[in-house]
Structure formats: structure tokens, C-alpha cells
Amino acid sequence: MEIKRPLLLISNDDGYQAKGINTLVEMLSDMGDILVCAPEEACSGFSCAFSATKPLRLRLRSKREGVEIWSCNGTPVDCVKMALAELAPRKPDMVIGGINHGDNASVNIHYSGTLGVTLEGCMKYIPSVAYSLCDYADDADFEPMRSLVREITGRVLREGLPLGVCLNVNFPKGSYQGVKVCRMAKGTWYNEVEKRWHPRGYDYWWMMGRYQNDEPDAEDTDNWALAHGYVAITPTQIDVTAYSAIETIKSWQL
């Protein structure tokens, strides 16, 4: 009986041409068959958004033994949905988001299209992992990530993940001195909207922002780990119920 290689579905929010996703494909191509379906252009900040009002298109960009790369004109989540519905020959063994150019620690998980990919996979009951590097450069060096990305991917392929749980993995720029399994930090974005004047005579606004870690001394967070040269692995769950508040809300006797 023929033993099928694992099927890895990969997407991102930087676009199918980004160095991060193409490096990830190269890192993992010997570990399974790879199906890439990624946005035609950058979709940072799209989180779990999907297209409900526009038609979607798929385009085969390249194909070689064990690797197919498709683009979609939709969001990162659209890419996962389209790949599962139209492209995957069977249910993938793993969904992977990344490698993202820039970190997705703390509250960024709620905005990130890379995490949108991973959460969508997790909601489809597929073991899912997001990989991000704290370097926004187009030509970022992903090589220091190689051994640990392969180790984590292999471990998840062999052992899976708890139902409803995915992994958010953030790497510091350059070499790292260890790994911390940690929680997401409490953080806030400030001064997010910058008003400007257009030469043609009207106001416009640009989303900018400055991130602040609101608990800089807490040593069990992803922000602390990255700031001190560690890889931060944050188990992330689909169920966002605030269980600690249930009894309080019940006491309102509505």
C-alpha cells in the first residue's frame, strides 16, 4: 500500500511572492507535499476577514513535484477556504501561516492575517501553526529559524495539537538563545491615526501607531521573551469565552 506523505497547506498575509513564505516552502519541502494558496498582494491586518461581496479567483503560479503554489485575489482566510474547497486533494495534515515579515506577539494576534490563516485551520480541526520573524525587511534573513521551524512542524505532524488550540510562534531577529512557551502580553496601540494634508486640497488619514507593552516586567509573556532574545511560543485557542466572568454576569440576574 502506498504511504502518502503529509499534506501541508501554507498561506500568509504578505503575498505569495514574499520571501518568508517561499523560504518556508523550501524549509519544509522534504517533510511533505506542499500546497500554497496565498494572497496576490499584501493583506497585513486582515485578521480573520473573508470576502462576502466580491468574486474570488485562483491562479496557478508554479507547480513541481510535491509543491503547488496558487494565488487568490482574496484575504488570507479566503485563501485557506478556497484551498480546502477547491485545491486540496484531501484534508491537509497541517495548516501553516507565514513566515510573516514582522512579529505577531501580544494583541497583534487579533489583527494579523497570518494568525487568521492559522485560526481558520484550527477552526477546521486541522493542527495549525503560525511562524513570524521580528524583521519587516523584504529581504529578511530567515535562516536562523530553519532548525526550530522544522522541529516544531515535525512534532505537530507526529503528535498533533489539542482540539481548538493552535500555536503562535514568534522569532527574534537574528540568532536566538532559547525557547519560551509563554502567554501573550497585555499591550496597547497608541496614536494609531495620523492626519495629513493632500496636495490636491483635502485631508486624509494614515494608519500608523506605536505599540506599548503594558507589563514590561512580566517575564512570562511573548513580548518579554522576544525582547530578551528568545523564541516565543504561545498556545492560542479558538474559544474566547471569559470563564472567570461567567458567575459575575450570572449574578446580574437579567
Side-chain angles (χ1 to χ4, degrees):
M1 182 178 67
E2 181 184 0
I3 299 177
K4 292 182 178 179
R5 300 207 313 160
L7 177 60
L8 310 180
L9 172 56
I10 297 176
S11 191
N12 71 351
D13 68 1
D14 293 311
Y16 77 96
Q17 294 178 313
K19 182 179 179 181
I21 194 170
N22 286 285
T23 301
L24 182 62
V25 169
E26 185 272 323
M27 286 179 179
L28 302 179
S29 60
D30 66 327
M31 298 180 66
D33 293 329
I34 292 179
L35 173 60
V36 172
C37 186
E40 290 182 352
E41 57 189 23
C43 293
S44 295
F46 274 59
S47 186
C48 291
F50 65 92
S51 299
T53 59
K54 76 173 184 179
L56 297 175
R57 302 184 308 273
L58 291 169
R59 183 175 177 184
L60 179 61
R61 297 291 180 169
S62 66
K63 183 176 182 179
R64 60 185 186 273
E65 186 175 357
V67 178
E68 284 189 16
I69 297 179
W70 294 75
S71 68
C72 175
N73 65 320
T75 70
V77 166
D78 287 335
C79 292
V80 176
K81 291 180 181 293
M82 291 290 285
L84 293 176
E86 299 294 331
L87 303 176
R90 62 186 187 277
K91 185 177 181 179
D93 297 279
M94 192 169 171
V95 171
I96 304 175
I99 300 169
N100 189 66
H101 293 246
D103 85 89
N104 279 312
S106 184
V107 293
N108 291 337
I109 187 175
H110 296 293
Y111 302 114
S112 166
T114 302
L115 268 296
V117 167
T118 308
L119 292 167
E120 182 66 21
C122 191
M123 286 189 280
K124 294 293 192 292
Y125 306 111
I126 302 171
S128 301
V129 178
Y131 294 117
S132 302
L133 173 66
C134 296
D135 188 346
Y136 288 92
D138 290 340
D139 63 346
D141 180 12
F142 298 97
E143 191 58 31
M145 302 173 62
R146 179 180 296 269
S147 61
L148 188 56
V149 165
R150 288 176 57 85
E151 184 177 348
I152 293 171
T153 301
R155 191 69 176 259
V156 173
L157 282 172
R158 292 191 301 272
E159 301 181 17
L161 289 168
L163 195 65
V165 173
C166 54
L167 298 183
N168 181 22
V169 185
N170 286 277
F171 285 75
K173 183 178 179 179
S175 60
Y176 56 89
Q177 60 179 355
V179 176
K180 297 284 188 183
V181 179
C182 48
R183 65 178 175 88
M184 59 178 283
K186 296 179 177 67
T188 312
W189 282 92
Y190 292 94
N191 302 321
E192 295 180 86
V193 180
E194 181 176 293
K195 185 177 181 179
R196 299 181 181 181
W197 177 255
H198 197 280
R200 293 188 175 179
Y202 56 85
D203 293 327
Y204 71 100
W205 289 261
W206 198 264
M207 282 290 179
M208 303 289 288
R210 176 179 60 84
Y211 173 77
Q212 175 179 295
N213 179 2
D214 294 330
E215 43 180 350
D217 298 325
E219 298 183 6
D220 61 340
T221 72
D222 50 9
N223 279 167
W224 188 96
L226 292 167
H228 290 81
Y230 290 91
V231 176
I233 301 179
T234 305
T236 303
Q237 63 184 18
I238 298 298
D239 184 355
V240 295
T241 305
Y243 290 97
S244 61
I246 287 178
E247 293 305 318
T248 298
I249 305 307
K250 282 183 177 179
S251 72
W252 292 2
Q253 298 181 341
L254 299 173

